[in-house]
Amino acid sequence: MSLADTRVIAAHNPHRRRRSKDLPLYMRIILLGSSVSENSQVGNFILGRAAFDSEAPPDVVERVGGRLKDRHLIIINSPQLLQTNISDHQITQTVRECVFLSDPGPHVIVLLLRHEQCSAEDQECVEKVLLSFSEQVYQHTMVLTTQEPTETSDILQNIIQKCANRHFSLQRSSSPDDLLQMFEDIVKMNDHLECAEAAQCFTMKQQITERLSEAVKLNLVVCGSDGMLKSSVSEQILQQTDRRSDVELHDRQISVIELPALARLSEEEVMRQTLSCVSLCHPGVHAFLLIIPDAPLNHEDKADTEKIQRIFSSRINKHIMILIKQDSEHQTEGLSEETQSVIERFGGRHHFFGPKTQVSTLMENIEQMLEGNRGEFYSTETFLEAQMKTLMKYDEIKKKINSIDTYLLSQGNEQKISLSMKKKVLTDFF
């Protein structure tokens, strides 16, 4: 059974609430905030080490494990969900990943809030984000502030009251043990939060459920190094239905997921993000939309396209559409050699995307690609098979290099392939 299949079954058959008051072996905690540095500070405080990077991209959700006293903890860190300018689409996508990483559900959700910046707009954002997880979310939620003013604002106090007056103020003299005690108290009362609605990617409102159930699912993954361009494309696709993450367009129920820029991530994080992205698309990805600018590609653009090709393998080519971003409404007469090379490398399909682009035209091109693929999609199994083939090829190259070394030594030849040359061979191969 695939990872995607497992997730769907879990969503439709939620775990029964445990009656025992015993604490779980692993306590899953989600940190929600609006600042990368502040989220990292709190995550590092809980785990007692530099587990989170304060310079990490804000759109990356990290999962890190550790121990506090005798308790195993898993921290899911989302440093952008409480930003007031975040779109409904970004909320949906980020909540979806938080639920995925905390399966079968988080035990505690920590709101990182600031006294001086807590406004009515902040309260509205907090409520929207929390209710995206579950209607029972407040039973599992607490507020954490990193400074102690002379008095607490009415708005912040309202949020704290909704969280059953659970509030922790992080001071220099604060102990992680005190915070752990609050976590354990929440777990003893409630066990984990069942996020069936969020796990199903924001099930649509009741009055349109039947209509959506008859639609054909279409999973789109937006790729590229420029986060603003990806959000722009996603929003233009979704804008016809109030920017929800699952919409109907061209008689299809459409889900849009943005893959974080891979160039700035470690190899381990690249593998986690790409696998997570494919796994969230059940039963698989129907179309990858890779955005590149209508200009010379910079270093990050090149690195991102190369990593996408390497990680997903050539099997992505039949499912990918290159989107060429243009600032003007007129298409350029010709494409640069570099841009043309990227298009050809990924199968030859491309579409110009600009401020005057009609989403319907883009969807028609995607529909043509889907017809050519006869309903096939890029599944989790496809992804894992690609990784296995890569590992097998890697082993073959290592064996060939070892054979050459053995042959030269058997001939009494002291000349050997240097380590740098071996690295170059492996790098060129991949």
Side-chain angles (χ1 to χ4, degrees), residues 24-291:
L25 178 61
Y26 289 92
M27 192 180 297
R28 299 176 296 277
I29 301 160
I30 295 180
L31 300 183
L32 302 183
S34 57
S35 164
V36 174
S37 59
E38 194 169 59
N39 272 52
S40 298
Q41 175 192 350
V42 173
N44 294 339
F45 169 78
I46 295 172
L47 296 178
R49 59 188 175 89
F52 296 98
D53 182 5
S54 61
E55 301 296 325
D59 60 340
V60 173
V61 178
E62 293 185 277
R63 169 177 159 146
V64 175
R67 286 176 64 92
L68 177 54
K69 294 180 69 175
D70 58 346
R71 183 70 55 215
H72 291 278
L73 302 179
I74 295 176
I75 309 292
I76 294 95
N77 183 24
S78 176
Q80 71 162 353
L81 257 181
L82 299 187
Q83 294 176 356
T84 54
N85 62 348
I86 190 171
S87 69
D88 289 352
H89 165 62
Q90 289 172 309
I91 290 175
T92 300
Q93 179 177 321
T94 309
V95 168
R96 185 184 299 176
E97 185 165 10
C98 287
V99 172
F100 173 80
L101 293 175
S102 62
D103 182 56
H107 293 100
V108 181
I109 294 180
V110 180
L111 300 177
L112 273 60
L113 300 176
R114 300 179 182 180
H115 290 270
E116 74 280 3
Q117 295 181 354
C118 207
S119 63
E121 190 178 14
D122 290 308
Q123 182 176 5
E124 183 181 349
C125 177
V126 166
E127 291 176 352
K128 181 189 292 185
V129 168
L130 289 181
L131 290 176
S132 301
F133 285 91
S134 169
E135 292 183 356
Q136 289 75 43
V137 68
Y138 286 102
Q139 299 173 17
H140 301 261
T141 305
M142 60 169 289
V143 174
L144 187 149
T145 54
T146 54
Q147 77 277 33
E148 187 62 46
T150 54
E151 57 180 331
T152 302
S153 69
D154 291 341
I155 291 176
L156 180 58
Q157 190 58 46
N158 286 339
I159 298 175
I160 294 173
Q161 287 176 355
K162 283 193 172 185
C163 300
N165 291 312
R166 289 184 289 261
H167 175 213
F168 186 88
S169 179
L170 184 60
Q171 305 293 312
R172 289 186 178 180
S173 58
S174 299
S175 166
D177 295 350
D178 297 331
L179 186 54
L180 177 63
Q181 185 60 55
M182 293 190 70
F183 293 162
E184 292 180 343
D185 291 343
I186 294 174
V187 176
K188 287 176 182 177
M189 292 179 62
N190 304 293
D191 194 27
H192 70 265
L193 178 64
E194 296 173 353
C195 302
E197 291 180 359
Q200 295 178 66
C201 311
F202 277 163
T203 303
M204 306 306 294
K205 294 179 181 179
Q206 186 65 35
Q207 61 266 32
I208 61 173
T209 300
E210 292 182 4
R211 182 164 55 90
L212 283 181
S213 65
E214 297 174 356
V216 179
K217 190 72 180 283
L218 176 61
N219 295 321
L220 305 178
V221 172
V222 183
C223 317
S225 62
D226 192 318
M228 291 186 65
L229 283 183
K230 286 186 291 191
S231 294
S232 173
V233 170
S234 300
E235 292 298 324
Q236 283 191 251
I237 291 175
L238 303 176
Q239 66 183 352
Q240 298 183 22
T241 51
D242 297 328
R243 294 158 62 178
R244 292 185 297 245
S245 74
D246 284 302
V247 305
E248 280 192 54
L249 193 61
H250 280 236
D251 297 321
R252 288 183 179 271
Q253 181 188 347
I254 297 180
S255 175
V256 181
I257 291 179
E258 292 175 19
L259 179 68
L262 304 180
R264 292 176 290 173
L265 304 180
S266 66
E267 283 300 312
E268 181 181 355
E269 188 65 16
V270 166
M271 291 301 299
R272 190 183 72 80
Q273 290 289 344
T274 49
L275 175 58
S276 172
C277 175
V278 177
S279 301
L280 287 169
C281 295
H282 179 74
V285 182
H286 296 95
F288 292 83
L289 306 180
L290 174 57
I291 308 171

Side-chain angles (χ1 to χ4, degrees), residues 313-373:
S313 81
S314 60
R315 298 185 68 173
I316 195 178
N317 290 0
K318 63 191 299 184
H319 304 284
I320 198 165
M321 173 81 68
I322 305 296
L323 297 188
I324 303 171
K325 173 65 178 178
Q326 294 193 312
D327 296 326
S328 65
E329 60 181 282
H330 301 292
Q331 296 180 7
T332 32
E333 295 182 0
L335 296 171
S336 68
E337 242 179 71
E338 193 174 44
T339 301
Q340 191 63 47
S341 173
V342 173
I343 294 171
E344 292 173 356
R345 195 191 321 156
F346 283 99
R349 302 181 194 87
H350 70 281
H351 181 87
F352 289 94
F353 197 89
K356 301 295 183 180
T357 301
Q358 294 294 320
V359 172
S360 58
T361 306
L362 171 62
M363 294 307 300
E364 287 172 3
N365 287 343
I366 293 176
E367 291 281 359
Q368 291 177 7
M369 181 175 70
L370 297 179
E371 289 177 7
N373 291 336

